[in-house]
């Protein structure tokens, strides 16, 4: 590397570093003259891969913030944040849209003299001196200039790399928007009239998306960019089409279906301000944007915004931070806002805008409980439930049956001796599937054949207890032989395009019965739906997780929201053995927000999040003792470091202590404030780094965990 090259290096530039035989990509973070790192821990960079920094400073700042907050290395964050091509050494000159311009030395009249007899370099310099401003590298190459000449001029300090201004070919076109109703106008005004975060709490069908579209419109009219995050499962063609219908084909979409090349292309276009609107799932929160004006998180309560392994970040929480760093407004939208966000409205950090009416002429559904006690059920269906489906079908409408369990039955039992089919690797039962017949553990993916006789007493009296989507589908098909029943769960939608095909069939409007899991609760519009039947609401009422009631309420309200999208009022029926349960009553009679307030005061009294900052260390190993011992050991260390402000709890067994052959337990850490917890975690993580358990012990830190598993 020449001294000139080193002098030109700036943070965000990629370099190649040899690790063993393989060169790997490193990102230059900072330049120092001296370091405390021992010499044998330092590796030389073999090559510089980019002529200009690839990762902009604002992005690096944001990534550092995330690394600090979640106590992960910056390397982990970059691994999640950068498109895979940027992490490959052989991808050079990825920056197809960068350009070259003269330095002040290059602009002087005697610059030519510095080049002696190098005719190719002279020609290039001449060419650039004849142009106004910067030229794309592509164009230089098209005009027969050579990369070697470009490099030579750069080394002589005559030209420098630069980014090119906005590519006008991708400017959005804005088609006419809808006339907002009063609530929508007020919501838009709240978003636009303050710098910060707005919680847009609007019931399903209230026109949140229209508010997003008009907020985006203002931002792009000002020459800024908008980033829209959507839950994994919600990123359907339906969603993107609505954005495209308004803004034209300029919309960039980032999801798991994108090729690596697409991803990089979008990443660069966003970074350089050429992509006006980017829509993506969780990891799109890391995409750099030069002129970010607005971030929208749709369905902000959705669990898919939280990464649940490795670098466990929350894209929603990071969005709020990113908005502050880049002075962009943030909108969190949901019909069922997370309790965290509602608490942030209460404490004044966010503003709230509410949409309580359905847009257009649509009317919200009525929710009612069906008392299952003392009823004889037909394969899990109450008479009232069956009658309601019948009624909806005879009016030419569709019916939706929701059951949050896939497979045929959750329990296989021997009638003679009481034997249960358990998974050998988990503290869990195997679920029976019939299409095709097998047993499947939904926690570790183990599969077994279906035993015809009891493995314990050889009786042939095997019984199936409980029901999942497959069994409900079978029962519905028997009850309504003339009507098509469509099952929607992970098993029927795993094939590529399967979901799209199913949605298309639903949307042709023929009377049909849909039966499925929470996949149905998200994002889809079913205009012909007359009734929603929730087969079993009781699981959520008695959950071990303190977030159980919150999750139950969100799921019920989201599923209910599928009903009655058009003028017809929809019915939502909830089957339960506990119709008088106070939580269920509160939700059905007072609605989600009253329910949330009651739950929030409970959380406050019990000193639970969002009123306490929480983090968790999860550990697992091949033996119960090793996991316990490790957690005991680090607990002692933690207690030494923790002042009175930190509360350490553990080791606590996981709700499922054995999973996929691993024994799991956890340590919970709490403090009154996030800052206090963060400071503690920083020293704690350092202190336990040297503690190595035995028997392949793994541990991970989860800051702001959203479930206890
Ligand atoms: P949400 O995102 O809150 O579920 P949508 O934005 O999908 O609601 O709106 C529901 C329906 O109402 C859509 O068909 C949309 O086109 C329509 N809509 C939204 N706002 C208006 C409005 N101001 N006037 C008329 N129709 C509207
Ligand atoms: Zn038996
Ligand atoms: Zn298992």
């Amino acid at each position: 590397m020449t001294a000139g090259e080193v002098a030109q290096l700036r943070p965000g530039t990629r370099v190649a570093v040899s690790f063993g035989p393989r060169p790997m990509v490193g990102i230059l973070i900072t330049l120092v003259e001296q370091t405390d790192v021992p010499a044998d821990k330092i590796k030389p960079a073999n090559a510089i891969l980019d002529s200009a920094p690839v990762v902009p400073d604002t992005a690096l700042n944001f990534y550092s913030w995330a690394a600090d907050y979640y106590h992960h290395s910056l390397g982990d964050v970059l691994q999640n944040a950068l498109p895979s091509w940027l992490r490959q050494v052989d991808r050079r000159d990825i920056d197809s849209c960068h350009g070259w311009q003269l330095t002040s030395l290059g602009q002087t009249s005697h610059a030519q003299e510095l080049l002696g007899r190098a005719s190719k370099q002279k020609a290039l310099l001449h060419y650039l001196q004849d142009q106004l401003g910067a030229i794309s590298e592509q164009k230089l190459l098209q005009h027969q200039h050579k990369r070697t000449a470009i490099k030579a001029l750069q080394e002589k300090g005559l030209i420098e790399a630069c980014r090119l201004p906005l590519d006008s070919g991708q400017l959005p076109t804005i088609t006419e928007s809808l006339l907002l109703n009063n609530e929508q106008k007020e919501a838009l005004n709240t978003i636009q009239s303050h710098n910060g975060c707005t919680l847009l709490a609007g019931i399903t069908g209230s026109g949140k998306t229209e508010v997003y579209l008009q907020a985006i419109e203002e931002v792009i009219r000002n020459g800024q960019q908008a980033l829209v995050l959507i839950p994994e499962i919600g990123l359907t063609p339906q969603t993107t089409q609505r954005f495209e219908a308004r803004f034209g084909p300029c919309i960039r979409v980032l999801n798991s279906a994108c090729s690596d090349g697409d991803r990089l292309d979008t990443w660069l276009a966003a970074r350089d301000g050429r992509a006006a609107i980017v829509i993506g799932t969780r990891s799109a929160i890391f995409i750099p944007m030069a002129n970010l004006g607005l971030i929208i998180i749709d369905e902000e309560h959705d669990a898919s915004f939280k990464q649940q392994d490795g670098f466990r970040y929350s894209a929603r929480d990071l969005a709020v931070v990113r908005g502050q760093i880049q002075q962009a407004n943030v909108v969190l939208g949901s019909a069922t806002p997370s309790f965290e966000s509602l608490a942030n409205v209460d404490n004044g950090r966010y503003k709230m805008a509410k949409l309580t009416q359905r847009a257009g002429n649509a009317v919200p559904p009525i929710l009612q409980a069906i008392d299952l006690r003392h009823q004889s059920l037909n394969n899990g269906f109450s008479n009232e439930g069956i009658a309601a489906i019948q009624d909806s079908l005879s009016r030419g409408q569709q019916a939706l049956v929701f059951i949050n369990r896939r497979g045929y039955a959750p329990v296989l039992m021997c009638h003679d001796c009481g034997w249960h089919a358990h998974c050998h690797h988990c503290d869990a039962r195997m679920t029976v599937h019939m299409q095709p017949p097998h047993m499947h553990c939904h926690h570790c993916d183990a599969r077994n054949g279906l035993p015809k006789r009891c493995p314990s007493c050889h009786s042939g009296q095997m019984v199936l207890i409980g029901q999942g989507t497959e069994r409900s589908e079978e029962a519905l098909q028997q009850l309504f032989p003339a009507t098509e029943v469509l099952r929607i769960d992970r098993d029927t939608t795993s094939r590529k395009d399967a979901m799209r095909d199913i949605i298309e069939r639903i949307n042709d409007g023929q009377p049909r019965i849909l039966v499925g899991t929470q996949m149905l609760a998200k994002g889809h519009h079913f205009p012909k739906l007359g009734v929603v039947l929730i087969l079993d609401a009781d699981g959520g009422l008695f959950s071990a997780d303190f977030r159980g009631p919150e999750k139950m309420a969100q799921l019920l309200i989201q599923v209910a929201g599928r009903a009655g999208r058009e003028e017809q009022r929809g019915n939502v029926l909830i089957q339960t053995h506990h119709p008088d349960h106070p939580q269920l009553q509160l939700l059905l009679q007072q609605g989600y927000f009253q329910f949330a307030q009651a739950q929030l005061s409970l959380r406050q009294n019990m000193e639970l999040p969002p009123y306490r900052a929480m983090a968790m260390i999860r550990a697992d190993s091949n033996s119960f003792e090793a996991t316990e011992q490790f957690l005991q050991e680090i607990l002692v260390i933690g207690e030494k470091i923790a002042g009175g402000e930190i509360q350490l709890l553990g080791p606590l067994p996981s709700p499922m202590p054995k999973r996929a052959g691993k024994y799991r337990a956890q340590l919970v850490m709490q403090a009154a404030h996030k800052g206090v917890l963060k400071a503690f975690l920083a020293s704690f993580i350092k202190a336990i780094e040297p503690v190595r358990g035995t028997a392949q012990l793994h541990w991970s830190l989860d800051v702001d965990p959203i479930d206890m598993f």
Side-chain angles (χ1 to χ4, degrees), residues 398 484 486 501-509 512:
Q398 299 175 336
E484 186 183 16
L486 289 173
D501 294 348
I502 290 174
I503 298 289
E504 263 171 26
R505 270 164 70 200
I506 296 172
N507 285 340
D508 73 5
R512 284 208 173 88

Side-chain angles (χ1 to χ4, degrees), residues 626-639 650-651 667:
T627 306
E628 281 287 298
Q629 197 191 330
F630 170 79
L631 289 174
Q632 282 294 358
E633 205 172 322
I634 65 169
L635 177 66
V636 172
I637 298 175
E639 275 169 346
L667 197 65

